[in-house]
Amino acid sequence: MTLLDRNPDAPQVWQDEMAVTNRYTYGVAGERFFRTIKEEGRILGTHCTTCDHTYVPAAIFCERCMDKLDEWVDVGITGELVTFTHLYVNYDGSYRQEPITVAFVKLGDGGIIHRLIFSDSEEVSIGMQTKAIFKPADEREGSILDIAHFELVQT
Ligand SMILES: [Zn+2]
């Protein structure tokens, strides 16, 4: 018997605010992953030799075989555009005058979701090569936003 069975007049939704404080930690793999982006402008993954799978972002354990991963590999800063979408709404629900484009870029056997910037003259399509553009070194803070955006690689 549900609450509504017992009391059909019971409210089904409560609208209010709840203060939540939390601290997100990168963990062992994430710390090295983001530190390398910040300090070296490189993107690292971890490789599972058992599964021949390279995790990006780096992971400390293989989610397939649960082996501990300690083989770090530089996966480069270019990757294939797997998919993308144009966002016309901001996080606060307001509408944008101009859309921004967010893409999933394959790096290693994983990838990164990030902003894709391209010019009006460029045609974007799945399968194109993209390149990470980093913020200047003195502006990096150790987050995914140290990658300013991705852009299309001209061929
Ligand atoms: Zn594995």
Side-chain angles (χ1 to χ4, degrees):
M1 175 177 275
T2 68
L3 176 62
L4 288 176
D5 292 333
R6 289 192 303 262
N7 181 0
D9 297 326
Q12 297 177 38
V13 175
W14 285 267
Q15 299 264 338
D16 204 346
E17 293 183 16
M18 180 170 55
V20 175
T21 302
N22 63 24
R23 172 175 274 186
Y24 173 78
T25 62
Y26 288 149
V28 174
E31 193 274 340
R32 183 169 174 181
F33 176 80
F34 286 110
R35 183 176 298 281
T36 304
I37 287 175
K38 177 184 177 187
E39 296 177 355
E40 302 174 32
R42 297 186 306 130
I43 301 171
L44 297 181
T46 46
H47 183 249
C48 177
T49 54
T50 304
C51 301
D52 192 25
H53 189 90
T54 301
Y55 289 87
V56 177
I60 201 68
F61 288 98
C62 176
E63 63 186 40
R64 296 168 177 217
C65 70
M66 298 309 293
D67 274 358
K68 186 173 193 306
L69 303 178
D70 53 12
E71 181 182 325
W72 290 80
V73 293
D74 185 331
V75 296
I77 62 169
T78 61
E80 179 184 339
L81 178 60
V82 175
T83 191
F84 63 95
T85 189
H86 305 298
L87 303 179
Y88 291 88
V89 178
N90 294 308
Y91 293 122
D92 65 3
S94 61
Y95 288 95
R96 301 185 59 81
Q97 291 288 333
E98 296 291 328
I100 59 171
T101 302
V102 175
F104 178 74
V105 175
K106 183 174 190 257
L107 297 162
D109 293 314
I112 293 175
I113 297 171
H114 214 294
R115 188 169 181 184
L116 177 67
I117 292 183
F118 52 95
S119 70
D120 291 340
S121 65
E122 293 178 301
E123 180 108 5
V124 179
S125 62
I126 291 170
M128 296 178 84
Q129 287 297 300
T130 64
K131 177 181 179 184
I133 304 299
F134 294 87
K135 287 181 177 175
D138 63 344
E139 294 179 20
R140 296 182 202 153
E141 299 176 332
S143 85
I144 199 66
L145 297 177
D146 289 347
I147 299 172
H149 61 271
F150 279 78
E151 64 183 27
L152 301 175
V153 174
Q154 302 303 319
T155 56

